[in-house]
């Protein structure tokens, strides 16, 4: 049992380091022009030239029941000579599970994660009619704050 717990903690710490160094916590606005004013979403993305690293991230996510997607190949950067690979976690529930797993080990991205989690706690997933909708100005403030937190790190 201890070995399994130790492996889980080691994996979580490794994943936190990868996200701190190579990851991006992204906020984006969907359905912005519909009658509800759109929804704020947060996802996590990692892009690298090492498919082995991306595979390891996917394996850790899978072990922890976190749904992730992988995009393979392509020269996505203009001057790139090596193919790059992407992995991402999109759904709010999956992002929340990821944040809970890696939060104790984060350094650089900790303010962004804490800010995103506070948004989740305040506004939920914004899809249900029972959820109070965030006002337009609050959504703008969310994106500006998330962007500013990236500058601090």
């Amino acid at each position: 049992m201890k070995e399994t717990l130790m492996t889980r903690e080691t994996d979580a710490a490794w994943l936190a380091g990868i996200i701190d160094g190579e990851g991006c916590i992204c906020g984006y606005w969907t359905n912005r022009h519909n009658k509800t004013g759109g929804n704020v979403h947060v996802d996590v993305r990692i892009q690298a030239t090492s498919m082995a690293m991306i595979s390891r991230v996917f394996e850790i996510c899978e072990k922890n029941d976190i749904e992730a997607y992988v995009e393979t190949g392509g020269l996505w950067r203009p001057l790139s000579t090596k193919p790059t690979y992407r992995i991402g976690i999109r759904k709010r529930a999956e992002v929340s599970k990821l944040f809970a797993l890696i939060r104790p080990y984060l350094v650089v991205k900790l303010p962004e994660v804490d800010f995103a989690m506070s948004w989740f706690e305040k506004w939920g997933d914004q899809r249900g009619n029972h959820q109070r909708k965030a006002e337009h100005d609050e959504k703008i403030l969310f994106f500006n704050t998330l962007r500013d937190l990236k500058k601090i790190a």
Side-chain angles (χ1 to χ4, degrees), residues 7 11 14-15 52-66 68 70 87 101:
T7 301
D11 286 348
W14 181 85
L15 182 55
M53 183 184 78
I54 297 296
S55 295
R56 182 74 180 123
V57 170
F58 186 80
E59 180 183 308
I60 293 169
C61 287
E62 201 170 46
K63 272 195 223 175
N64 289 281
D65 196 31
I66 297 168
V70 175
I87 186 164
L101 177 68

Side-chain angles (χ1 to χ4, degrees), residues 104-123:
Y105 310 101
L106 287 171
V107 176
V108 177
K109 301 282 194 308
L110 183 59
E112 293 172 60
V113 166
D114 285 346
F115 180 67
M117 291 303 291
S118 71
W119 178 268
F120 292 160
E121 289 168 16
K122 184 175 181 181
W123 298 108

Side-chain angles (χ1 to χ4, degrees), residues 18 22 46-55 71-77 79-87:
I18 294 297
E22 303 293 330
I46 302 166
Q47 182 171 312
T49 58
S50 169
M51 186 56 187
M53 183 184 78
I54 297 296
S55 295
E71 295 177 90
T72 59
L75 300 175
W76 288 321
R77 294 188 177 149
L79 301 176
S80 182
T81 58
K82 295 171 76 175
T84 51
Y85 308 93
R86 293 178 181 162
I87 186 164

Side-chain angles (χ1 to χ4, degrees), residues 5 25 34 36 45 88 93 95 107-108 110 122 127-128 141 148:
L5 178 60
I25 297 170
N34 73 11
T36 65
R45 301 175 196 164
V95 170
V107 176
V108 177
L110 183 59
K122 184 175 181 181
R127 284 179 276 175
L141 180 62
D148 290 345

